[in-house]
Amino acid sequence: MNPPTRKAPSPVAFIVIAALVGVHVLAWQGTGFSPGALVEGWRGMADFLSQSFPPDLGVLGDSLDAAVVTLYIGLLGTTFSIPFALLLGVLASRATTPNSWTYQIARSILSVLRSVPDVVFALIFVTAVGLGPFAGVLALVFHNTGVMGKLWAEAMEETDPGPREALRVAGASGAQTAVNAVLPAVLPQMVGLLLYRFDVNVRSSLVLGLVGAGGIGFLINQSIKLFRFDQMVTHIIVVVVVVVLVDQLSAYVRRRLAT
């Protein structure tokens, strides 16, 4: 019995592979990627590590206080975005918004909010309200509204069309259809996405502190500027513990919701 013959790759496959290789070569050159430079910089890395260890535990109290502020930023940035994300999510879902103009406008708003990084929002609000956690909360509210509204809108569109079509035939309005058919069906998934976003926002609030939006990221930035790398390591250890705890708590709640 003759073995099955393999089909030769098509010319399109060769073109795609060649294009991918070419793009990676351009990216390598454009970014100045150089493993040799990393190897040659071992002395600087060794000096950095020697100044970082042992960690300075004298700043542990300040680090823990700042970590709590970071959690507050992530919490408020998530919860305060819920009403805006819910409204835009309903308007940006074809399951709840038959009007094409309303749908497109809501989608465009979500795209704009989602495309602007939270760090950029933080820089904008720092100039508006000054340094501190309030700017970080505002930045997360705006960015998270775009992300969470998009996720919720897509979740609504995946619901069973049967119940909502039955309500529409019975004369229900779009709001009544959303409240009585769509939102109850997708509520567990929406809560799971919300918890996931809270997890992400806590991590994001660490970065926002680097641009003056408060929290433990601000202390990390200060430590780097003062060349107190031993203090920086203490702050980073606290960050790792906080992130792991939030991740475990979020995963536990999502598992409970799924059962």
Side-chain angles (χ1 to χ4, degrees):
M1 183 177 179
N2 295 327
T5 58
R6 294 184 178 180
K7 187 177 179 181
S10 66
V12 175
F14 283 113
I15 294 174
V16 171
I17 294 173
L20 287 174
V21 172
V23 169
H24 279 79
V25 170
L26 292 174
W28 183 292
Q29 296 173 346
T31 58
F33 190 86
S34 175
L38 178 62
V39 174
E40 293 173 0
W42 71 270
R43 294 183 184 275
M45 295 183 65
D47 184 56
F48 169 78
L49 292 174
S50 66
Q51 296 181 49
S52 301
F53 293 94
D56 181 7
L57 299 181
V59 298
L60 184 59
D62 294 335
S63 186
L64 291 174
D65 291 339
V68 173
V69 174
T70 296
L71 286 172
Y72 289 161
I73 295 172
L75 176 65
L76 295 182
T78 303
T79 54
F80 285 175
S81 66
I82 291 176
F84 307 108
L86 181 58
L87 175 60
L88 288 171
V90 170
L91 296 176
S93 172
R94 293 195 183 277
T96 52
T97 305
N99 185 283
S100 60
W101 280 102
T102 304
Y103 171 83
Q104 292 298 337
I105 291 173
R107 282 273 172 172
S108 298
I109 294 173
L110 291 176
S111 296
V112 171
L113 295 176
R114 192 173 66 255
S115 62
V116 178
D118 45 21
V119 174
V120 175
F121 275 127
L123 290 171
I124 294 172
F125 287 118
V126 162
T127 61
V129 301
L131 299 172
F134 184 38
V137 172
L138 292 175
L140 287 180
V141 167
F142 274 72
H143 182 71
N144 194 61
T145 295
V147 175
M148 202 157 62
K150 174 72 160 49
L151 294 174
W152 283 355
E154 291 180 346
M156 293 177 200
E157 290 185 348
E158 294 175 358
T159 57
D160 183 8
R164 62 175 184 261
E165 290 299 330
L167 286 176
R168 285 174 181 168
V169 170
S173 64
Q176 291 173 328
T177 302
V179 171
N180 294 288
V182 178
L183 292 180
V186 80
L187 185 60
Q189 187 176 356
M190 291 175 64
V191 174
L193 291 170
L194 178 65
L195 291 171
Y196 168 72
R197 285 304 303 173
F198 171 65
D199 186 5
V200 172
N201 286 336
V202 170
R203 301 165 195 254
S204 297
S205 61
L206 302 172
V207 180
L208 299 184
L210 298 177
V211 296
I216 197 169
F218 183 73
L219 295 184
I220 293 175
N221 192 30
Q222 278 189 322
S223 301
I224 294 174
K225 289 181 177 179
L226 296 173
F227 299 99
R228 292 301 307 270
F229 301 124
D230 53 343
Q231 295 181 0
M232 180 200 70
V233 170
T234 300
H235 299 322
I236 290 177
I237 292 173
V238 173
V239 165
V240 172
V241 173
V242 169
V243 169
V244 170
L245 290 176
V246 171
D247 181 64
Q248 293 298 317
L249 176 62
S250 178
Y252 171 77
V253 176
R254 288 199 297 269
R255 287 196 302 268
R256 295 290 295 177
L257 290 172
T259 58

